[in-house]
């Protein structure tokens, strides 16, 4: 009888980073216009924040209420 513990688990290895490796094209999700290129998530957020389009402004406005009769 073996007194050592044998296991069938895989050998531990370093996992790849979970973040985005390379973001190439930044596109507005409201008007679908290509805004430019970004290499990391911080620069992508800055590009999206600086973009102001008509569709984005209309989405953020309050909806018209139904008139009460």
């Amino acid at each position: 009888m073996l007194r050592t513990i044998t296991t069938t688990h895989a050998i531990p290895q370093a996992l790849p980073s979970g973040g985005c490796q390379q973001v190439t094209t930044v596109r507005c999700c409201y008007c679908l216009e290509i805004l430019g290129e970004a290499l990391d998530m911080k620069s992508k957020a800055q590009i999206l924040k600086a973009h102001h389009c008509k569709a984005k402004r209309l989405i953020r406005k309050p909806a018209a209420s139904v008139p009460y009769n």
Side-chain angles (χ1 to χ4, degrees):
M1 179 174 208
L2 295 172
R3 294 200 173 255
T4 60
I5 299 172
T6 57
T7 181
T8 58
H9 293 298
I11 299 170
Q13 296 177 345
L15 296 174
S17 65
C20 215
Q21 292 293 330
Q22 185 177 17
V23 179
T24 54
T25 304
V26 180
R27 185 179 293 262
C28 177
C29 61
Y30 300 106
C31 65
L32 302 177
E33 181 182 346
I34 296 175
L35 304 176
E37 294 183 353
L39 297 176
D40 57 352
M41 297 302 285
K42 186 176 181 181
S43 61
K44 179 181 177 181
Q46 289 174 347
I47 292 171
L48 288 173
K49 188 176 180 182
H51 175 67
H52 300 290
C53 61
K54 185 177 180 180
K56 187 175 181 180
R57 286 193 307 267
L58 288 175
I59 291 285
R60 295 184 184 267
K61 283 187 175 182
S65 62
V66 177
Y68 180 75
N69 286 337

